[in-house]
Amino acid sequence: MKYVLTGVFCFLLSWCNALGQSQTDSIITTKGAVTLITCGSAITTFQIGDGKNSDYDYRIVDGNVVFIRPTVANPKATNLVIREGNNIHYLILAFRDRAELSRLKYNLSAGGNKAGASNTSSGSNTTLSQPEDNSTESDDAAIAASGIDTVTVGNIAEDFRKQRKGGHQYETSADGITLSFSQAMSLNNLVYYSFHIKNRSGKAYEIRKVTLMHKTKADTAGLFTMPVLYRKGVPSIAGKADENIVFVAAVRDFKKDDEIILVMYNKATENQVVLYTPVSALPKYMISK
C-alpha cells in the first residue's frame, strides 16, 4: 500500500509540474473592495470552491484580469483554481476584516517556463514570460469603431493634459511609480480623464496598455470596462520624470458612490499599478443623483 501511495503522489507531482503549477498562495479579499488578479495568459479555468460557492463574485476582464469581491459579511476560506495558458494555480481564497489595497493585487505567471524567471509567493509578482503586446491594435480598433474626430479630440486632450491640477488625495504607488488622479471633464458625449504619473525609479516606464473600468455601488457586482477611445501623452516616462496623460472614453451615468478603476501595465515587467478613484472626485455636473 505504501508503494502504491508513493506512486500516486509521484504521478500527481509530475502532472502538476507538466501544467506549470505555481506555489500555493493565499488570495486576500476584504469588505468594500475588489481583489485584482492578473494572469500572463488567457484564463481558461476559474473555479472557487466546488464551483457553486456563493460567498464570492468574480468578473473576468480582457480575458486575463479577474476582479473578486465577497458577497456575504464573513465568507469562509476556500480553494481557488486558475488555469491560464499552460499553468495551473492552486490557491487559497480568504477574507480579512481589514486589508490594505496593496495586498489586494496579484500577478500570476505567464504561459511559458522561462529559464531564470523568478517565482515569488508573496502576492506581488510571478512573471515567467510576457504576453503578446496588442495594445496598439486594440486602441486603433476602438478609435475606428467610435468614429470620433481624432484631430479635434487630440487638440482638446492636449490642452487638458497641460493643465496641472489635482493633489495627492487619490493616488497609489508601486515599483517606483506613483499614479494620481488629476481631473476630468465631459464634452460632446466624451469624458476626458487626466492622470499624473511620477516615475521615481531609475528606469524608463513604458506603458503597454491601460484598462479603465466603472464600478457601480447600486449593483455591487457591476464592473464595466470603459474602452479607451483616445490617449494623449508620452508612451514612455523617463526615470525621475513626471508626466500627465489623458484617456478619453465614452460618457457614462455615474452615481456619487461609484468608483473609477485604472489599471496600467508596465511593458518591461507586466507589473500593474491600480488606482481607485471615487466618482465624487469628478466635477458635480458629471454625477447624477
Side-chain angles (χ1 to χ4, degrees), residues 29 48 53 55-56 70 72-79 92-96:
T29 66
I48 298 175
N53 192 302
D55 289 350
Y56 300 90
V72 296
N74 190 22
K76 296 181 180 179
T78 186
N79 61 294
I92 299 298
L93 185 60
F95 176 83
R96 298 289 183 271

Side-chain angles (χ1 to χ4, degrees), residues 139-157 187-192 227-232 247-251:
D139 291 345
D140 290 343
I143 293 173
S146 67
I148 64 175
D149 180 356
T150 55
V151 175
T152 301
V153 170
N155 290 336
I156 295 172
L187 183 65
N188 296 331
N189 294 319
L190 295 174
V191 179
Y192 296 74
V228 176
L229 305 179
Y230 193 87
R231 180 172 74 182
K232 194 69 174 183
F247 303 109
V248 182
V251 69

Side-chain angles (χ1 to χ4, degrees), residues 74-285:
N74 190 22
K76 296 181 180 179
T78 186
N79 61 294
L80 172 63
V81 179
I82 304 175
R83 182 168 185 168
E84 44 96 16
N86 293 322
N87 297 306
I88 187 166
H89 308 275
Y90 296 97
L91 309 165
I92 299 298
L93 185 60
F95 176 83
R96 298 289 183 271
D97 289 332
R98 295 182 180 180
E100 296 293 331
L101 289 179
S102 60
R103 294 195 63 196
L104 305 180
K105 297 181 291 184
Y106 300 86
N107 195 338
L108 301 184
S109 63
N113 290 322
K114 187 175 180 180
S118 63
N119 186 10
T120 62
S121 59
S122 62
S124 55
N125 302 301
T126 309
T127 304
L128 300 181
S129 66
Q130 298 180 18
E132 181 182 358
D133 182 7
N134 61 356
S135 56
T136 303
E137 290 81 354
S138 298
D139 291 345
D140 290 343
I143 293 173
S146 67
I148 64 175
D149 180 356
T150 55
V151 175
T152 301
V153 170
N155 290 336
I156 295 172
E158 176 62 16
D159 290 340
F160 195 55
R161 187 179 74 88
K162 292 178 180 178
Q163 300 176 20
R164 302 274 178 168
K165 294 185 178 180
H168 301 282
Q169 186 174 3
Y170 309 113
E171 69 174 28
T172 185
S173 298
D175 299 328
I177 298 296
T178 298
L179 176 63
S180 59
F181 173 77
S182 294
Q183 57 182 333
M185 72 172 180
S186 178
L187 183 65
N188 296 331
N189 294 319
L190 295 174
V191 179
Y192 296 74
Y193 302 94
S194 180
F195 295 90
H196 188 65
I197 303 171
K198 295 180 182 179
N199 185 358
R200 292 297 175 258
S201 69
K203 298 180 180 179
Y205 185 96
E206 188 172 355
I207 303 173
R208 187 180 80 82
K209 71 170 184 176
V210 297
T211 300
L212 196 61
M213 284 165 287
H214 173 203
K215 181 176 180 291
T216 63
K217 179 69 174 181
D219 177 9
T220 55
L223 187 62
F224 306 96
T225 301
M226 299 188 294
V228 176
L229 305 179
Y230 193 87
R231 180 172 74 182
K232 194 69 174 183
V234 296
S236 179
I237 298 96
K240 309 300 181 181
D242 292 17
E243 292 288 346
N244 269 16
I245 296 184
V246 173
F247 303 109
V248 182
V251 69
R252 292 191 64 88
D253 181 24
F254 292 116
K255 301 294 192 300
K256 64 177 182 179
D257 292 326
D258 294 351
E259 282 185 315
I260 296 170
I261 304 172
L262 175 66
V263 185
M264 188 173 69
Y265 298 85
N266 185 347
K267 187 174 183 179
T269 64
E270 281 304 306
N271 293 347
Q272 71 276 334
V273 183
V274 185
L275 176 64
Y276 297 81
T277 303
V279 163
S280 58
L282 302 179
K284 291 183 178 180
Y285 72 87

